[in-house]
Amino acid sequence: MASLDARPAVGGVAPGLGSVPFILALIVAAAAIFGAGKLIGNSYAFFAGYVVVQYIVLGTAWNILGGYTGYVNFGVTAFFAIGAYSTVVLYKLVPALPLPLMIVVGGVMAGLVGLGTGYLTLRLRGVYFSIATLALAVVVQTLITNWDFVGGARGAYVLRPRNSPILGGEYMQYLFMVMLGLAVVVLATARAIERSTLGYGFAAIRDDEAAAEASGVPTLKLKLIATTLSGGFMGMAGAPLPYYVTYLDPSSGFSLNYAVNAIAMPLIGGTGSWLGPVVGAILVGGLQEYIRVTISSAINVLVVGVLMVGFVIAAPQGIVGLFQRKR
Amino acid sequence: MDVSLDLLINAIVSGLLLGGFYAAVSIGVAISFGMLDIVNIAHPAFILLGSYVAYIGNTYFGIDPILAAVILLPAFYALGMAVYQVYHVAFERRDDQSLRGLSFFFGLLFISEVSLVLAFGVDYRSVQAPYIGPSLDLLVIQLPWRLLVPFLVAMAMVVGLQIFLSRSFIGRAIQAVAQDQLALRLMAASPVRIKRIAFGLSFATAALAGAVLIIIQPVEPSIGREYIGRIFAICVLGGLGSFGGMVIAAMTLGIVENLTSTFFGPSWAPAVSFGVLLITLAVRPSGILGR
């Protein structure tokens, strides 16, 4: 499995850009995308773009645990919704708090839940962790549904400010910009992990956990780091959601679509490197948006499920893997 | 809160019946996860498929929901064998069960749920049968037939499968596949064939479990997700590969859930199974009767 992945050999020089130029390139790309959006000047472009970038963040966050260590987190909605609902709580308590701070709080909350779940289940076989995360999504939804302060089953309204606090324009543009910034942070982190000893540790766990443990890799510690980071980033991706939808209720915040998309996109794009989730999110997110507008929104989620099953059966290395094999 | 003895007894008894039903829901996973080591998280989705089969048979053809499920048992068995074949070729043989194999079942779960939404919408559906409504009164205890019938069906299923697994050659081979595949091959039985049969059986139980599910409560396509936590909590608590442990675990969970919804409100019940699952995994991952 490792031989097919886009992973530099241990001790070898990693190909491509160094970390600082890579981050600069990401920032330039993000700025260019934002500038292009401004030029189009259509608010639909920002609404649609936000969803795709949100899935880049969500998919990359899932991939840090799923793709790098091989542990499958099905509870994406739990972490995502913890981020979203911590924003709802903060909105009710301190409405003046700037959005980036809310994102940090949401990320910390989700990261802590990830750490706790991981601590209780990661000492066992990987499937138990996956099952626990599936159940976690149900239990967090139960808690939120029973919590009147955040609206309970009725849901909560969040007023979206009219104007962006910086650079002018509508608030939606600000949300898009914040999400782009988050994508830069997450992608830079993911790529830095791939090239660090942390990444080699993760890969060792994925390929043969027993051998890794025997060679002195602190597997539990590394798995907990991955779970916390991954959960935290998912929470961050969810934190701006209340401002995007303006009305959040448990059944939409915990929609299975988020989990399926976040898992399908890295699997379709390729789980070996940071590029896979990006490719997957852009292709699948774009396709979904296209189908949603032209055919129907029920079909578009079905397409993602079918694509995911098709890819795991026929192209286990994803789109990125297909291109690497041909090279 | 005023806790009357009658209320407590009734909650415990109906919890026992509910637990019997949970055993019917979990037995398929007890086979696939416990004996074949295939983590079929899509099982609840196929149970719902069984519910809708019972619904169609009952609403459009006027037959008993359980009978409708029995008629379609062979179809579910065949579907299960087909799914196992794909799983074996694409994941088991490549030794890629954990990441992509799990995602495969997750995808199936999602596809099945969305297809049901497209076909039937998100409205709750229910069935008609003479035993839905009346209850059997024993002194202070009320036994609603709509819980009693699923309980009996579940127990019949557990006992029948237990006898099949311990008496027949194929049944013993299924138990052997969990322990030593090489030895099985030396006995001139193909592990893949045996696993295919066992997985087909586990799917067939989903048809019956679905029929009893729609007798107990009205169903809508996303309801299956609530059962994932329950099913795996029961299988892990019961110890993998043991039907006896599974039944005890199912009844324990049924009682605890029923007491929770009686005294704290039904909206808290789904959290119980997760608590049980986490505590079991943290304290005793081999289950109460684990090996």
Side-chain angles (χ1 to χ4, degrees):
Chain A
M1 194 172 157
S3 58
L4 289 171
D5 286 346
R7 193 165 291 282
V10 179
V13 180
L17 298 170
S19 276
V20 175
F22 179 75
I23 294 172
L24 286 176
L26 278 180
I27 292 173
V28 170
I33 292 168
F34 186 73
K38 277 270 198 193
L39 274 181
I40 296 171
N42 180 344
S43 51
Y44 169 74
F46 286 100
F47 273 94
Y50 175 89
V51 173
V52 173
V53 179
Q54 166 192 292
Y55 279 129
I56 292 181
V57 176
L58 212 49
T60 308
W62 183 85
N63 203 36
I64 288 177
L65 182 68
Y68 297 173
T69 71
Y71 277 76
V72 188
N73 178 358
F74 289 119
V76 175
T77 48
F79 297 98
F80 187 73
I82 286 170
Y85 271 96
S86 70
T87 299
V88 173
V89 172
L90 289 173
Y91 172 81
K92 299 210 170 201
L93 294 176
V94 269
L97 201 67
L99 183 62
L101 277 179
M102 291 183 171
I103 293 178
V104 170
V105 174
V108 169
M109 298 300 292
L112 287 176
V113 171
L115 183 65
T117 315
Y119 185 75
L120 286 175
T121 56
L122 279 174
R123 276 167 295 185
L124 305 161
R125 282 174 53 206
V127 290
Y128 291 113
F129 172 74
S130 303
I131 295 163
T133 55
L134 263 175
L136 180 71
V138 175
V139 90
V140 175
Q141 185 170 2
T142 307
L143 292 178
I144 300 276
T145 309
N146 284 291
W147 191 13
D148 280 332
F149 182 71
V150 293
R154 283 174 290 109
Y157 288 92
V158 170
L159 279 181
R160 187 196 298 154
R162 191 178 297 275
N163 293 316
S164 164
I166 46 171
L167 288 177
E170 291 171 345
Y171 196 76
M172 191 54 231
Q173 302 192 2
Y174 177 61
L175 283 180
F176 183 60
M177 190 167 66
V178 167
M179 199 43 103
L180 274 174
L182 200 54
V184 169
V185 172
V186 173
L187 286 174
T189 311
R191 190 164 177 274
I193 289 173
E194 277 175 36
R195 301 167 153 244
S196 65
T197 46
L198 197 61
Y200 296 132
F202 287 173
I205 290 173
R206 180 191 58 196
D207 292 340
D208 192 335
E209 186 163 345
E213 179 81 51
S215 339
V217 177
T219 53
L220 181 63
K221 192 176 131 201
L222 291 186
K223 285 189 284 187
L224 288 177
I225 291 174
T227 321
T228 311
L229 270 179
S230 170
F233 282 137
M234 286 176 191
M236 287 183 165
L241 184 76
Y243 284 104
Y244 179 77
V245 292
T246 69
Y247 166 70
L248 185 67
D249 69 328
S251 60
S252 67
F254 287 88
S255 164
L256 197 60
N257 298 353
Y258 293 120
V260 172
N261 276 319
I263 297 168
M265 287 166 178
L267 285 171
I268 291 170
T271 52
S273 73
W274 64 273
L275 190 60
V278 177
V279 171
I282 292 172
L283 286 182
V284 179
L287 178 72
Q288 260 191 308
E289 197 58 29
Y290 176 75
I291 296 176
R292 196 175 66 80
V293 174
T294 55
I295 309 175
S296 91
S297 58
I299 302 275
N300 91 48
V301 287
L302 188 63
V303 167
V304 178
V306 172
L307 271 180
M308 173 167 120
V309 169
F311 264 89
V312 293
I313 292 173
Q317 304 304 323
I319 294 172
V320 172
L322 289 178
F323 281 100
Q324 274 163 354
R325 218 174 295 170
K326 279 181 191 150
R327 206 165 49 187
Chain B
M1 189 187 294
D2 184 26
V3 182
S4 76
L5 193 61
D6 285 7
L7 193 63
L8 190 67
I9 292 174
N10 269 305
I12 290 177
V13 170
S14 60
L16 268 178
L17 295 182
L18 190 67
F21 157 65
Y22 285 170
V25 176
S26 309
I27 195 164
V29 173
I31 296 173
S32 61
F33 184 32
M35 294 175 182
L36 312 177
D37 208 19
I38 298 171
V39 192
N40 177 11
I41 52 174
H43 194 73
F46 294 108
I47 289 176
L48 267 181
L49 209 59
S51 293
Y52 278 92
V53 161
Y55 168 75
I56 292 171
N58 184 258
T59 312
Y60 298 107
F61 302 99
I63 48 179
D64 184 85
I66 294 173
L67 184 64
V70 171
I71 293 171
L72 276 159
L73 276 182
F76 272 74
Y77 179 73
L79 183 65
M81 296 219 292
V83 169
Y84 176 73
Q85 196 58 35
V86 173
Y87 178 79
H88 173 71
V89 171
F91 308 106
E92 217 167 41
R93 224 164 46 187
R94 285 188 206 148
D95 198 22
D96 195 4
Q97 291 107 315
S98 64
L99 181 64
R100 291 185 179 81
L102 274 173
S103 307
F104 167 68
F105 283 119
F106 188 65
L108 286 189
L109 165 91
F110 186 69
I111 291 172
S112 163
E113 186 179 317
V114 176
S115 307
L116 286 177
V117 170
L118 286 174
F120 297 96
V122 290
D123 300 333
Y124 279 90
R125 307 283 172 167
S126 55
V127 288
Q128 306 291 325
Y131 42 81
I132 296 177
S135 51
L136 182 67
D137 289 354
L138 300 170
L139 299 172
V140 297
I141 304 168
Q142 281 197 324
L143 298 178
W145 279 105
R146 72 182 311 166
L147 276 177
L148 209 51
V149 168
F151 179 83
L152 296 174
V153 171
M155 289 305 112
M157 214 153 83
V158 173
V159 171
L161 276 171
Q162 182 67 54
I163 291 173
F164 171 75
L165 286 177
S166 50
R167 298 284 161 81
S168 71
F169 176 78
I170 290 182
R172 287 182 189 183
I174 289 172
Q175 289 191 302
V177 117
Q179 293 170 12
D180 195 338
Q181 300 202 12
L182 183 66
L184 191 66
R185 208 172 276 141
L186 296 176
M187 297 288 142
S190 149
V192 175
R193 182 173 155 261
I194 296 297
K195 281 176 137 182
R196 195 161 52 222
I197 292 172
F199 202 72
L201 276 179
S202 114
F203 254 62
T205 68
L208 271 176
V212 294
L213 169 66
I214 200 169
I215 290 172
I216 286 189
Q217 62 170 110
V219 299
E220 53 103 5
S222 73
I223 214 170
R225 268 181 269 155
E226 277 177 31
Y227 282 89
I228 299 175
R230 279 192 191 120
I231 290 176
F232 281 95
I234 288 167
C235 287
V236 172
L237 182 63
L240 297 174
S242 131
F243 282 176
M246 183 205 69
V247 173
I248 295 172
M251 293 189 169
T252 312
L253 189 71
I255 293 171
V256 175
E257 263 191 15
N258 230 351
L259 291 176
T260 309
S261 57
T262 306
F263 297 116
F264 298 96
S267 58
W268 284 105
V272 172
S273 57
F274 181 73
V276 169
L277 180 65
L278 261 197
I279 293 169
T280 316
L281 287 180
V283 179
R284 189 170 163 73
S286 57
I288 37 177
L289 296 182
R291 280 174 284 189

